[in-house]
Amino acid sequence: MANLDQAFAAYAHPIRRGIIERLAEREMTVAEATSDFGVSKPAISRHLRVLEEAGAIVRVIDGRQHRLRLREDALDDPYHWLDDLRAMWEHKFATVEQYLAEQRR
Amino acid sequence: MANLDQAFAAYAHPIRRGIIERLAEREMTVAEATSDFGVSKPAISRHLRVLEEAGAIVRVIDGRQHRLRLREDALDDPYHWLDDLRAMWEHKFATVEQYLAEQRR
DNA sequence: GGTACAGTTAACCAAATGGCTAATCTCGAC
DNA sequence: GTCGAGATTAGCCATTTGGTTAACTGTACC
């Protein structure tokens, strides 16, 4: 994975998350993985580039089709960042009750 | 958590992740949580607003200081999205392994 | 009162993002 | 060789993002 900025940014767009969700099922061509998103092909093409540069997917060019699949470690870096934080804070979060109580003070 | 777009976008900036990492230790004022990031106070102020609107932090105004705290469920939505995909992906992987094992018999 | 401090808002600017249409490239089928 | 299909690149545009400085709000302190 390139870096956390790119990784999180890659997953911040619904079309890109949709592509990832489909590719989690199986490898697909561009047309399969991106139909029904309601945007033009060039728009799709750039979403794919963002995902590729973020290290989320790999592309195998097969004739005139491009076969896409998730990278094995696609989700690791953002997942671990979130997971480490979750492990760290435990008791340190704000509860709604605390918040409301302090607002009333 | 507001939505996945906002959540992932919130974590896509190093300063915002840095703020979250500090707040995972303990509650802090704005100045404590954001010193040494090398940007101006207005820039910080807007990063905080992004985090707040994404549902990542809460703010309690205490005199002239704003005390910041992580929200209880701050990381849940992006974490679960990634986790569900990982589960799916690893299941596929296991299936492939099983398939190969069966082929070798 | 008056001043300093913690923080935000306003106004502005440059760069990045996300969309489009039109043009292009590369195969596969005929 | 020609045509069409799968996909990208080029060029354009509007909006958003991330930064700045200057001005402002509200609070603490003398």
Side-chain angles (χ1 to χ4, degrees):
Chain A
M1 180 66 71
N3 68 60
L4 277 175
D5 286 19
Q6 280 180 286
F8 277 115
Y11 300 131
H13 195 287
I15 290 182
R16 291 195 292 262
R17 284 198 309 280
I19 293 170
I20 294 293
E21 284 166 7
R22 289 196 194 177
L23 292 178
E25 296 283 352
R26 59 178 172 81
E27 170 180 317
M28 295 184 188
T29 66
V30 171
E32 282 180 302
T34 67
S35 61
D36 305 319
F37 283 124
V39 293
S40 64
K41 290 205 299 183
I44 290 295
S45 202
R46 281 207 309 204
H47 284 307
L48 292 177
R49 197 155 76 92
V50 169
L51 288 170
E52 211 172 1
E53 287 175 352
I57 65 174
V58 290
R59 176 193 312 251
V60 177
I61 297 178
D62 181 21
R64 62 183 166 179
Q65 309 197 112
H66 296 200
R67 295 202 320 271
L68 309 173
R69 63 170 200 272
L70 285 187
R71 264 189 58 172
E72 193 172 350
D73 57 351
L75 311 171
D76 284 1
D77 282 4
Y79 181 83
H80 285 137
W81 187 81
L82 293 171
D83 204 36
D84 289 353
L85 280 179
R86 281 167 65 92
M88 200 188 310
W89 67 9
E90 287 300 302
H91 323 75
K92 299 168 182 166
F93 52 72
T95 64
V96 174
E97 291 74 20
Q98 282 176 330
Y99 171 77
L100 292 175
E102 292 182 29
Q103 285 299 300
R104 280 193 295 271
R105 277 206 328 229
Chain B
M1 179 67 69
N3 68 59
L4 275 174
D5 287 17
Q6 279 180 287
F8 277 115
Y11 300 130
H13 194 289
I15 290 181
R16 291 195 292 262
R17 283 199 309 280
I19 292 169
I20 294 293
E21 285 165 7
R22 289 197 194 175
L23 292 179
E25 296 284 350
R26 59 178 173 81
E27 170 180 318
M28 294 184 188
T29 66
V30 171
E32 283 180 303
T34 67
S35 60
D36 306 319
F37 283 125
V39 293
S40 64
K41 290 203 299 181
I44 289 295
S45 200
R46 281 206 309 204
H47 284 307
L48 293 177
R49 198 156 75 93
V50 170
L51 288 170
E52 211 173 359
E53 287 176 350
I57 65 174
V58 289
R59 175 194 313 252
V60 177
I61 297 178
D62 182 20
R64 63 181 169 183
Q65 309 199 109
H66 295 200
R67 297 202 319 273
L68 308 174
R69 216 185 302 152
L70 285 187
R71 262 190 59 171
E72 183 178 4
D73 57 350
L75 310 171
D76 284 1
D77 282 4
Y79 181 84
H80 286 137
W81 187 82
L82 292 170
D83 203 38
D84 289 353
L85 279 179
R86 278 168 64 93
M88 206 190 290
W89 177 248
E90 306 210 344
H91 174 67
K92 298 293 177 205
F93 189 75
T95 302
V96 170
E97 295 234 306
Q98 200 169 11
Y99 169 78
L100 292 175
E102 285 172 15
Q103 288 298 302
R104 281 194 295 272
R105 278 206 323 241

